[in-house]
Amino acid sequence: MKIIFLGPPGVGKGTQASRLADALGIAHISTGDMLRAEVASGSELGNKVRTLMDEGQLVPDETIVEIIENRTLQSDCINGCILDGFPRTVPQAAALKEMLAAREDGISATYLFNLSEDQLLKRLEGRRGVQNRKDDSEDVQVERLKVYQEKTAPLIDYYREEGLLVEIDGNGTINVVYSRLLAAIEKMLPPEEVNAGEN
Ligand code: AMP
């Protein structure tokens, strides 16, 4: 099972992805977390992507596709994974499709988290400084939203056309959004396979 989480920065995808991955016993792959770990370790890759990330720009498609190609082959992905923050451009989505097809695999569903712009800006404001992310300053947050609209939002139509898009209302508390997500997931999976995670 390969699930994609799509939505603007600040919508709460990461929190939901980590909880759902635990409930389903599948891997949570956050490309942002992976890249931040590279930057923190001072690796060659980390040094290459640091400035782009600090400025709220995307790292090159080839770089991130290669990371995903390797990561999805790791043993914790055997039952599947949630891709959180990937793909972020149409070429990334096309590369993912091709990669999975070569493995006789495919995407099960893409969950799009929707939030009104007002709420989004409020959440991003609340996040400022809390997670100690360099890209959470106000001007970089604005840039990241712009990049999302330009480069990532076209994936909404892309996955809708593929018949894979499921929209989730992202308004409300973490628990409320999670129960909406579970209800949507149960339409795809029999309920006994979802450990509703009373956590
Ligand atoms: P995130 O934590 O998902 O918001 O990602 C933080 C930053 O990592 C982004 O602003 C990009 O610079 C980079 N990044 C994460 N995922 C991708 C991706 N799929 N494609 C390009 N850049 C990415």
Side-chain angles (χ1 to χ4, degrees), residues 87-161:
R88 251 184 164 96
T89 65
V90 172
Q92 289 180 20
L96 175 66
K97 188 176 177 184
E98 197 181 319
M99 177 194 98
L100 292 176
R103 297 177 188 173
E104 295 183 356
D105 200 352
I107 299 296
S108 315
T110 297
Y111 294 93
L112 167 68
F113 292 83
N114 288 315
L115 197 59
S116 66
E117 194 166 319
D118 262 17
Q119 284 299 317
L120 202 59
L121 291 172
K122 253 191 216 152
R123 285 205 198 164
L124 284 170
E125 195 182 322
R127 201 161 99 173
R128 247 168 250 158
V130 175
Q131 293 179 7
N132 200 21
R133 281 175 55 161
K134 261 200 176 161
D135 61 356
D136 263 344
S137 66
E138 188 174 359
D139 51 342
V140 181
Q141 281 179 349
V142 169
E143 185 59 28
R144 294 173 71 220
L145 282 171
K146 207 173 113 201
V147 169
Y148 173 80
Q149 285 307 336
E150 277 173 16
K151 307 242 168 92
T152 308
L155 290 178
I156 299 172
D157 278 344
Y158 177 96
Y159 284 114
R160 189 176 284 126
E161 277 161 26

Side-chain angles (χ1 to χ4, degrees), residues 1 30-31 33 48 54-55 77 84 96 111 131-132 195 197:
M1 179 190 351
S30 156
T31 43
D33 284 350
K48 186 174 141 195
D54 286 352
E55 290 172 352
C77 297
D84 162 21
L96 175 66
Y111 294 93
Q131 293 179 7
N132 200 21
N195 159 20

